[in-house]
Amino acid sequence: MPRETALELESLTVRYGGTVAVDGLDLRLRRGETVALLGPNGAGKSTVVNAVLGLVPSSGRISVLGRDPREAVRAGCVGAMLQHGGLPGEARVGEVLALVRRSFGRAGRAIAWPLDDLVATAGIDGLLDRPVEALSGGQRQRVLLAVALAGEPPLLLLDEPTSAMDVAGRRAFWTTMRALADRGTTVVFATHHLEEADAVADRVVVVAGGRVVADGPAAAVKAGIGGRTVAFTAAPGTPLHDLPGTTALDRAGDRVVLSTDDVEATLQALLARGTRLADLEVHGASLEDAVLSLTATRTTTGATR
Amino acid sequence: MNPLFAFQLRRVGRNRQFLFFTVLMPALFTVFFTKVFGGFAGDAADRQAYATTYMVSMMAYGALGAALGATIRVSFDRASGWLRQLRITPVPTSSVVAVDVAVGMLLTLPGLVVVAAVGRFVNGVDLPPLTWAALVAVLWLGSGAFVALGLLVGHALDEKAAGGAIGILGTILAALGGLWVPVQLFPEALRAVAHTLPSYWYAELGRDVAAGGAPAPLAVLALAGFAAAFALLAAAVAQRRALHAVAG
């Protein structure tokens, strides 16, 4: 059902000179989804966002609510916070917002959203008369959010949106995003803050080497790795070789960390040997482990390709 | 009025330096230099000729400074990320460019008019009404070459270099183009340099009109050539910039 699709990418490829930043990426997002694009620096997250906005030339197919990127932007269907976006000097916040709101009005998108409400949602009360130069980093970021939201776009693209925010600012920001998603806005954000992806997104898309290496709810991405760690304190010299299920062994002083894909077998073998397991901890894979593991594999295969 | 046009105009209008260098300074120069050097003139006719020439030079100086100052700023908007932000609003890129050109053209007018008024009312330059109108109109149209140059420089240079270029380029064009000291007083070699600069031909248009004639075809052709070259280069550079806008 095309009306349900907010964004569709088919073998999207972006090259910068000789470098392939995005390599035949496929992705389909439904309306109202909150999606995290997760991956290390240079994975291609920002490039995907920029391609969807028509800011970089790309090959493959991009459909933003059924339109091509330029058309979608012109029609006011997309709002975005860019990593390298900014505000003009020698202007006041209110003037910038008025200009952007009017531009959306001209695009035929009725600005049903009263200014007061926009100001409250973006958290920029009291900043409208302020010169852009007088904003703090966090305030600037919230003004950029207001600019992105000004046309009440059905698709919101956010590239590292909380990078300049403090903890409280981040929390408020994500509460706002959840509220927008509940109203039907499709929210796509690129981040390397794994906790944010885990806490906010319905769906996590892990990107590495310009491709999607994992895609699904955060829990599923984590489960896909399946690995767990067993950690304990043991005297140096304690025999730890040939333990069933163990995939890796790390020792830092007395602290031992075993990675295993069969916690039970590993623990039983340790107990059978009579090993003392002081300060025993067993962890499931975090989203961070999952991403590291996925992107590491990707890098290896990428290198041999 | 187009909202982006009003917005950009208000931003430049906030810049006191801009008004100082493009309106006040040329106006003060016009008075000062005419009073100082006009004193050496033998008779009233000589003085009148000197006052007229110097006024035309200062009109050209103010206008080219304003055109460059208003347009090179595009570099600051690129550095701050505002240009990119604007590209993801429904404002079409063509309007953004059109507004840059329109703002540049409009802002050359205050300097032209104020210096002309100073010439007329302070220095007593006496021209027929139609000549006054033609003088302002020709110099206004001609300033398009410097709007194009400013956009070229603004797109080509990064923020810091562009900030310096506003002053340096204006000074070079004015000094070597014979706007401060007439080229007749230049040594031979330097005069040849002046003839390669758009500022010389620009002032030449004004001098021809002030003398009561039409601008010489050579001057018109030279300035139009510069304008076209600058505009084409600016478009090419801006396009390249767009492709390399995002490296992340």
Side-chain angles (χ1 to χ4, degrees), chain B residues 35-218:
Chain B
K35 295 293 176 211
V36 172
F37 297 111
F40 296 112
D43 55 21
D46 265 6
R47 192 167 309 162
Q48 177 68 221
Y50 183 81
T52 307
T53 310
Y54 205 75
M55 177 191 73
V56 169
S57 292
M58 283 302 109
M59 285 172 81
Y61 171 56
L64 81 83
L68 293 176
T71 49
I72 290 181
R73 302 158 51 86
V74 75
S75 177
F76 308 158
D77 284 350
R78 199 182 61 241
S80 70
W82 171 240
L83 274 191
R84 193 167 308 158
Q85 194 70 48
L86 209 50
R87 278 187 67 189
I88 56 170
T89 67
V91 179
T93 312
S94 56
S95 325
V96 176
V97 176
V99 163
D100 282 341
V101 173
V103 167
M105 291 301 291
L106 185 69
L107 288 176
T108 58
L109 261 184
L112 285 174
V113 172
V114 168
V115 174
V118 165
R120 169 70 185 81
F121 297 108
V122 181
N123 292 346
V125 174
D126 189 17
L127 299 173
L130 265 180
T131 306
W132 278 114
L135 180 62
V136 171
V138 163
L139 287 179
W140 190 35
L141 276 179
S143 70
F146 302 98
V147 168
L149 175 61
L151 286 173
L152 166 61
V153 173
H155 280 289
L157 299 185
D158 69 22
E159 192 181 11
K160 273 190 187 153
I166 296 179
I168 295 169
L169 204 57
T171 304
I172 290 176
L173 286 173
L176 296 183
L179 301 187
W180 286 345
V181 178
V183 286
Q184 285 79 0
L185 304 180
F186 280 14
E188 192 79 30
L190 212 52
R191 205 177 305 165
V193 172
H195 289 176
T196 65
L197 293 177
S199 46
Y200 170 79
W201 298 107
Y202 180 49
E204 194 69 3
L205 294 185
R207 287 188 285 265
D208 289 348
V209 173
L218 179 63

Side-chain angles (χ1 to χ4, degrees), chain A residues 8-13 25 27 58-63 66 69:
Chain A
E8 193 164 18
L9 308 178
E10 262 175 41
S11 42
L12 177 70
T13 301
L25 184 134
L27 189 62
S58 60
S59 61
R61 200 175 74 88
I62 302 175
S63 164

Side-chain angles (χ1 to χ4, degrees), chain A residues 114 246 285:
Chain A
T246 311

Side-chain angles (χ1 to χ4, degrees), chain A residues 38-80:
Chain A
L38 201 56
N41 285 330
K45 308 182 298 280
S46 293
T47 308
V48 170
V49 170
N50 286 313
V52 169
L53 292 165
L55 289 176
V56 291
S58 60
S59 61
R61 200 175 74 88
I62 302 175
S63 164
V64 183
L65 296 151
R67 305 171 196 249
D68 79 29
R70 289 291 180 89
E71 251 181 78
V73 167
R74 287 288 300 277
C77 295
V78 200

Side-chain angles (χ1 to χ4, degrees), chain A residues 47 50 84 86 89-90 95, chain B residues 11 14-15 73 80 84 246 248:
Chain A
T47 308
N50 286 313
H84 301 284
E90 289 165 339
E95 293 164 1
Chain B
R11 288 177 64 204
R14 283 215 173 96
N15 192 322
R73 302 158 51 86
S80 70
R84 193 167 308 158
V246 209

Side-chain angles (χ1 to χ4, degrees), chain A residues 171-213:
Chain A
R171 199 163 300 153
F173 179 85
W174 291 118
T175 307
T176 307
M177 287 306 116
R178 289 263 38 132
L180 287 169
D182 290 343
R183 279 156 60 172
T185 306
T186 311
V187 181
V188 181
F189 63 100
T191 185
H192 46 231
H193 285 291
L194 301 142
E195 330 78 78
E196 287 188 344
D198 207 354
V200 182
D202 313 323
R203 183 173 161 194
V204 175
V205 175
V206 183
V207 181
R211 286 175 174 243
V212 174
V213 293

